[in-house]
Amino acid sequence: KQEVTQIPAALSVPEGENLVLNCSFTDSAIYNLQWFRQDPGKGLTSLLLIQSSQREQTSGRLNASLDKSSGRSTLYIAASQPGDSATYLCAVIGNEKLTFGTGTRLTIIP
Amino acid sequence: DAGITQSPRHKVTETGTPVTLRCHQTENHRYMYWYRQDPGHGLRLIHYSYGVKDTDKGEVSDGYSVSRSKTEDFLLTLESATSSQTSVYFCAISERGSTGAGNTIYFGEGSWLTVV
């Protein structure tokens, strides 16, 4: 059974800093990995999708990497802003289903 | 944003009553999913559909049933609601299942259900 872990569960950083969020998974037989953002009381917004054949994807200040062999993905956020405060979730896609991590709650301190 | 509409968005119901949540999509995507999100558990798959009238169970399917009579609609039914089913329910869609380039999963805004 696939298990996805995100550590730390919560993170606070001053505005302007670069930061890395971590995601690890136990079964490397995945097809895609997707990073989401969730604001309080809201749904999930897709940030980046990395296909299994790719090693990284970039969108603006966000960069996600994938290392299938080690079962790890990272989400790098450059020059953090207060608007980046949210919960970030990773999900691995395999066998017709997604398996989610429990998320990292990020707070950017102005 | 993907065209996904969930209804109702908020509902309070009594234990033992039936409840149906509706997910409507305008993207003509083949796959549709129902998840629940609870503190400490994250998002867990309840049921999913890979086509009209084609559905399968997820990891927490007990007490839930689904139906998909049209591509655009996926219904989640709690036959007899219990307090343990108080949760936030999310519908999601994708064009393909596990394979395929750029197969992004899109989520609805959620349905908050309270069973008293």
Side-chain angles (χ1 to χ4, degrees):
Chain A
K1 177 185 174 184
Q2 179 74 270
E3 294 183 1
V4 181
T5 303
Q6 292 184 249
I7 295 174
L11 179 66
S12 294
V13 300
E15 179 179 0
E17 285 197 1
N18 304 324
L19 61 100
V20 174
L21 305 179
N22 297 296
C23 172
S24 61
F25 47 94
T26 55
D27 184 353
S28 62
I30 67 171
Y31 294 99
N32 299 299
L33 185 144
Q34 196 165 349
W35 281 93
F36 295 88
R37 167 189 174 131
Q38 185 175 29
D39 294 289
K42 300 292 185 180
L44 280 70
T45 300
S46 178
L47 297 174
L48 289 164
L49 173 76
I50 309 177
Q51 299 169 49
S52 60
S53 58
Q54 298 174 322
R55 292 193 65 84
E56 66 178 80
Q57 280 284 348
T58 298
S59 176
R61 295 183 292 108
L62 305 180
N63 175 275
S65 67
L66 174 63
D67 184 343
K68 280 183 57 177
S69 61
S70 67
R72 300 176 72 173
S73 176
T74 61
L75 178 67
Y76 174 82
I77 302 177
S80 59
Q81 303 171 358
D84 294 330
S85 296
T87 297
Y88 290 80
L89 298 134
C90 69
V92 295
I93 303 165
N95 195 29
E96 308 286 354
K97 303 168 190 174
L98 274 74
T99 304
F100 282 85
T102 51
T104 295
R105 187 174 70 252
L106 176 65
T107 302
I108 305 300
I109 304 166
Chain B
D1 291 343
I4 306 170
T5 305
Q6 292 186 227
S7 60
R9 294 290 316 281
H10 299 270
K11 186 174 181 65
V12 180
T13 192
E14 295 184 348
T15 299
T17 60
V19 177
T20 296
L21 305 180
R22 179 181 183 240
C23 178
H24 178 79
Q25 61 145 329
T26 57
E27 306 296 323
N28 200 36
H29 283 358
R30 179 181 173 191
Y31 287 79
M32 299 185 75
Y33 311 82
W34 276 108
Y35 286 86
R36 60 179 289 175
Q37 186 176 36
D38 304 286
H41 292 280
L43 280 128
R44 294 179 291 173
L45 181 66
I46 305 171
H47 282 280
Y48 70 102
S49 170
Y50 47 96
V52 173
K53 298 186 179 180
D54 292 322
T55 64
D56 203 353
K57 296 179 179 180
E59 62 179 302
V60 289
S61 59
D62 288 347
Y64 301 95
S65 62
V66 290
S67 66
R68 191 168 178 198
S69 59
K70 297 184 291 185
T71 298
E72 57 265 35
D73 290 327
F74 192 32
L75 304 180
L76 176 71
T77 298
L78 290 66
E79 301 290 348
S80 178
T82 67
S83 58
S84 65
Q85 294 176 312
T86 293
S87 186
V88 184
Y89 292 86
F90 287 99
C91 173
I93 65 173
S94 66
E95 191 169 6
R96 290 173 287 275
S98 56
T99 58
N103 187 36
T104 300
I105 313 296
Y106 300 96
F107 279 79
E109 288 292 297
S111 293
W112 273 254
L113 177 67
T114 302
V115 183
V116 298

